[in-house]
Amino acid sequence: MNTATDPMLGEMFGDMSLWQSMLDRQRELFVEMEAGSRLGFVSREASGILPGKRSEGVRVVNEVPMMAWEIENGGMAARIERFAGISSTRVDVLLVADQEAMDTMLAELGGDMLKTIKRLIRRGNIMFFLFKNKAQLQDAGYEDFLESLGLAFLGACR
């Protein structure tokens, strides 16, 4: 996908350099994550992933843009990729944001984005899907990141 020529991408995720700056500011949360760990963001409306639908019942008719975050060269990098549905995604964690969440994230990109995402998850504006089990996520170093989003990761007992 060419972010320069696709107007939908510009509207949906805005300036990717702003996302990258935010990830660089939050670098400490990602230092324990292993290279290749990946998260994705897609629009709920564009993807057709709706609350209450089982993941195997979700079909994306057209490919839609996905903002992917991937650990590479010791840091988290942001880029736009194609999303053709849950069954073909190559991410460990998928965050599905409704339009209100997309607008809020873009408006608050210069602030503490992870607190914003946490708030939007709690309000139901962002759904999340995990594609690895708890042990795999722990081995990949996701614990601090998931806890920063308010997602109980290992429970009260370790």
Side-chain angles (χ1 to χ4, degrees):
M1 274 187 183
N2 183 341
T3 58
T5 60
D6 190 335
M8 187 169 128
L9 292 177
E11 292 173 24
M12 192 174 294
F13 295 109
D15 184 345
M16 291 306 294
S17 68
L18 296 175
W19 285 99
Q20 187 60 56
S21 292
M22 180 277 300
L23 290 173
D24 292 344
R25 286 191 311 272
Q26 300 291 332
R27 183 176 215 91
E28 290 299 314
L29 279 177
F30 307 116
V31 295
E32 297 297 321
M33 293 172 74
E34 69 182 26
S37 295
R38 293 172 47 84
L39 296 101
F41 281 85
V42 294
S43 160
R44 185 179 295 179
E45 290 79 6
S47 68
I49 301 172
L50 302 173
K53 272 198 160 181
R54 295 183 54 95
S55 63
E56 58 271 3
V58 175
R59 294 177 190 240
V60 176
V61 177
N62 297 312
E63 290 184 344
V64 298
M66 175 180 75
M67 179 173 50
W69 295 356
E70 182 171 358
I71 296 291
E72 56 186 35
N73 302 318
M76 187 67 84
R79 69 178 59 85
I80 299 295
E81 297 181 359
R82 297 174 189 269
F83 177 80
I86 288 178
S87 63
S88 64
T89 192
R90 299 179 305 110
V91 297
D92 306 323
V93 177
L94 181 67
L95 299 163
V96 182
D98 67 14
Q99 190 60 52
E100 181 181 343
M102 297 293 283
D103 294 342
T104 300
M105 288 189 297
L106 286 173
E108 298 181 19
L109 200 46
D112 189 342
M113 180 55 60
L114 297 176
K115 282 186 180 177
T116 299
I117 292 171
K118 179 180 179 177
R119 184 178 76 243
L120 292 166
I121 289 171
R122 284 187 173 166
R123 287 190 356 210
N125 296 98
I126 296 179
M127 300 183 301
F128 64 94
F129 296 87
L130 302 175
F131 294 94
K132 289 187 173 184
N133 66 37
K134 183 167 62 173
Q136 291 169 320
L137 290 169
Q138 183 178 18
D139 289 346
Y142 276 91
E143 185 172 1
D144 288 343
F145 174 74
L146 292 176
E147 285 182 1
S148 76
L149 297 179
L151 304 173
F153 184 61
L154 294 175
C157 300
R158 291 184 184 208

